[in-house]
Amino acid sequence: MDLTLTPEELKFRDSLRAWLKANVAPPWTRGTNEPADKKAYLQYLSAWQRKLFDGGWAGIAWPAQYGGRGAAPIEQAIFQEELALAGAPERLGVIGEGLVGPTIIALGTEAQKQRYLRPMLTGEEIWCQGFSEPNAGSDLAALNTKAVLDGDYYVVNGQKIWTSFAHIADQCLLVVRTDSTVAKHKGLTCLLVDMKSPGLSVRPLRMMSGDASFNEMFFTNLRVPVANVLGKVNEGWGVALTALGNERVSISTGRYMVLKRELDQLLERSRETRRNGGPLTRDPLIRQKLAQAHVELEVFRLNTLRAVTAPFKGGAPGPEGSLLKICWSETNQRVVHCALEVLGLPAQLWDCDEGRWAFNYLRARGNSIEGGTSEIQRNIVAQRVLGLPRSY
Ligand SMILES: Cc1cc2nc3c(=O)[nH]c(=O)nc-3n(C[C@H](O)[C@H](O)[C@H](O)COP(=O)(O)OP(=O)(O)OC[C@H]3O[C@@H](n4cnc5c(N)ncnc54)[C@H](O)[C@@H]3O)c2cc1C
């Protein structure tokens, strides 16, 4: 594995760095909890996405003919790291750009590519991912939302849950059951659904962090044109796996820099804080914890480099993405846990550092569940990377 950037990659990084220096949107003046004026916050994030697109910095690894930059996956990873390093705003289009877009590029019709890809990059259309149901999360293939063919439409009835961004999304990648008479993996189909269609309703769910960024979705005789099937009818399991493979890598790459910034802030706070007559950083136990967090972050950085250089050379992200997903989610949880241990009880308060530590700690619990739980990722690694048999 060669860890040094090539001259082209360095050129890419430097020109992006210069662009970000000149263009990063001013920080949204808000606490880390939910912004009070959600509409204004959305407009702020949409304007930022548009600015990225206009500057040529959206869809880094997507083909230029669909509005992308046509660069390599390693440049996509550099892009995500540089955004985090520059303190750029969060991105609304993470599900579209990270998960649905690459799946449409791989498996969609030309008409679907022309229709859906560009508005994902400009920020005109926000996407959500309608996979999980109340009785189908880890065992996704057990899902029960049904679609029945009626002329040129599928008529959908059922329910999804935990759908991130559904309350603000324009489009959804939905997995439904189109054949109940075959093995559960074989009767699924993926649909591209307009969220404004009659028969679709969304109900937000509040997380323990206070955030309400995921939802329940209900479908009552929702009509979806046959032309909106992504991939083939009854072959939706393969489509869903392609989307999930992309998700595991896209939610993990770029996170190193986010965590590094977090650890740097923690180090700064530790240096400033005095306890037992001296700076916190002289306490032997605190030093152990901070050093351990640094070690884990470096392991995560190397795993990220491996994920973007090795499997991508052979095409789509493979099961190795599960390694990265475990590494990111669990390292994040340990770093925020370390912050609460090091800074002590005040870090649990919403008025300490604008609630950053309390919010991050509570939100991080979901990291080892979203995109597939850590147990499921370990099963994938055991079976598909190590070649072990299926569990009981
Ligand atoms: C913040 C957040 C955002 C999310 N966003 C979305 C989204 O946008 N779209 C979407 O469709 N879903 C989303 N999800 C849902 C997520 O994908 C599911 O919660 C996840 O797949 C687990 O499913 P479940 O909740 O039904 O738990 P279950 O599958 O019921 O699992 C319960 C427990 O049993 C364990 N378990 C289950 N099966 C096995 C097994 N075979 N071996 C070992 N252990 C096992 C699990 O690891 C878990 O600990 C989100 C979840 C969170 C927390």
Side-chain angles (χ1 to χ4, degrees):
M1 183 170 60
D2 182 3
L3 297 180
T4 49
L5 296 181
T6 65
E8 294 78 48
E9 288 159 3
L10 277 173
K11 204 169 142 202
F12 172 88
R13 189 201 65 185
D14 291 344
S15 83
L16 171 59
R17 230 174 235 189
W19 187 89
L20 287 171
K21 198 161 179 235
N23 288 285
V24 162
W28 176 258
T29 44
R30 57 167 189 145
T32 40
N33 209 345
E34 270 191 272
D37 187 346
K38 287 184 197 154
K39 207 167 158 202
Y41 185 56
L42 268 181
Q43 281 167 354
Y44 161 84
L45 293 181
S46 298
W48 169 237
Q49 181 62 31
R50 182 76 212 195
K51 202 171 190 181
L52 283 169
F53 178 80
D54 290 342
W57 300 108
I60 302 297
W62 289 18
Q65 70 199 99
Y66 304 121
R69 198 183 171 93
I74 181 84
E75 282 156 339
Q76 170 71 35
I78 294 171
F79 169 73
Q80 283 172 281
E81 298 247 302
E82 290 298 317
L83 282 190
L85 189 65
E90 63 174 307
R91 296 181 60 218
L92 273 179
V94 281
I95 296 208
E97 208 173 322
L99 185 163
V100 185
T103 310
I104 293 182
I105 291 171
L107 303 168
T109 62
E110 190 51 36
Q112 288 169 345
K113 291 176 192 173
Q114 295 294 345
R115 162 64 187 85
Y116 293 112
L117 294 176
R118 196 173 183 280
M120 271 178 204
L121 297 184
T122 59
E124 285 161 279
E125 286 188 342
I126 298 167
W127 281 74
C128 64
Q129 172 200 15
F131 284 23
S132 306
E133 296 185 4
N135 291 313
S138 302
D139 187 10
L140 180 62
L143 63 87
N144 224 356
T145 293
K146 290 198 175 54
V148 177
L149 191 59
D150 177 22
D152 291 338
Y153 289 84
Y154 275 100
V155 180
V156 180
N157 282 284
Q159 185 200 340
K160 296 287 169 180
I161 195 168
W162 318 124
T163 323
S164 305
F165 300 106
H167 57 302
I168 54 166
D170 304 284
Q171 303 283 345
C172 176
L173 174 61
L174 191 69
V175 197
V176 293
R177 184 163 302 287
T178 38
D179 189 345
S180 306
T181 63
V182 290
K184 61 183 179 178
H185 295 87
K186 294 196 172 150
L188 304 177
T189 299
C190 283
L191 301 174
L192 303 167
V193 175
D194 183 340
M195 292 291 286
K196 290 175 198 76
S197 312
L200 192 163
S201 62
V202 172
R203 196 160 68 190
L205 293 165
R206 196 164 289 280
M207 300 182 190
M208 66 177 170
S209 58
D211 218 8
S213 60
F214 60 16
N215 308 266
E216 291 177 291
M217 284 201 292
F218 299 92
F219 316 106
T220 313
N221 296 326
L222 164 75
R223 294 179 76 79
V224 183
V226 168
N228 287 21
V229 170
L230 178 60
K232 294 198 176 120
V233 174
N234 293 332
E235 292 186 15
W237 182 243
V239 181
L241 289 188
T242 304
L244 288 170
N246 281 301
E247 180 182 25
R248 279 162 202 154
V249 174
S250 71
I251 63 174
S252 309
T253 45
R255 298 290 178 135
Y256 164 74
M257 207 50 90
V258 176
L259 284 181
K260 167 112 179 50
R261 278 168 61 96
E262 214 161 79
L263 185 60
D264 287 348
Q265 284 161 356
L266 178 60
L267 286 171
E268 206 180 298
R269 293 280 279 107
S270 309
R271 284 193 188 98
E272 288 164 1
T273 307
R274 293 181 71 81
R275 201 179 288 164
N276 300 329
L280 211 49
T281 38
R282 293 190 64 179
D283 180 317
L285 290 179
I286 301 282
R287 293 161 64 88
Q288 292 291 317
K289 288 183 202 301
L290 291 171
Q292 181 62 24
H294 174 73
V295 169
E296 290 181 18
L297 232 68
E298 285 308 295
V299 172
F300 175 45
R301 184 174 73 84
L302 296 175
N303 268 302
T304 305
L305 281 169
R306 182 167 60 176
V308 294
T309 54
F312 274 133
K313 281 182 187 153
E320 296 80 359
S322 293
L323 253 85
L324 194 60
K325 183 10 216 18
I326 296 169
C327 211
W328 159 65
S329 54
E330 297 188 0
T331 304
N332 189 33
Q333 288 174 348
R334 282 194 290 270
V335 169
V336 291
H337 186 87
C338 170
L340 288 205
E341 282 187 317
V342 169
L343 299 177
L345 290 175
Q348 296 180 23
L349 301 175
W350 288 117
D351 56 6
C352 169
D353 290 341
E354 295 181 313
R356 179 194 305 140
W357 308 112
F359 178 85
N360 286 350
Y361 180 80
L362 294 173
R363 179 61 187 84
R365 304 316 303 164
N367 295 159
S368 49
I369 303 173
E370 61 198 306
T373 66
S374 286
E375 290 78 14
I376 295 302
Q377 305 309 324
R378 287 196 169 88
N379 272 344
I380 294 171
V381 172
Q383 212 178 309
R384 296 185 52 207
V385 179
L386 301 181
L388 305 184
R390 287 180 70 89
S391 59
Y392 294 106

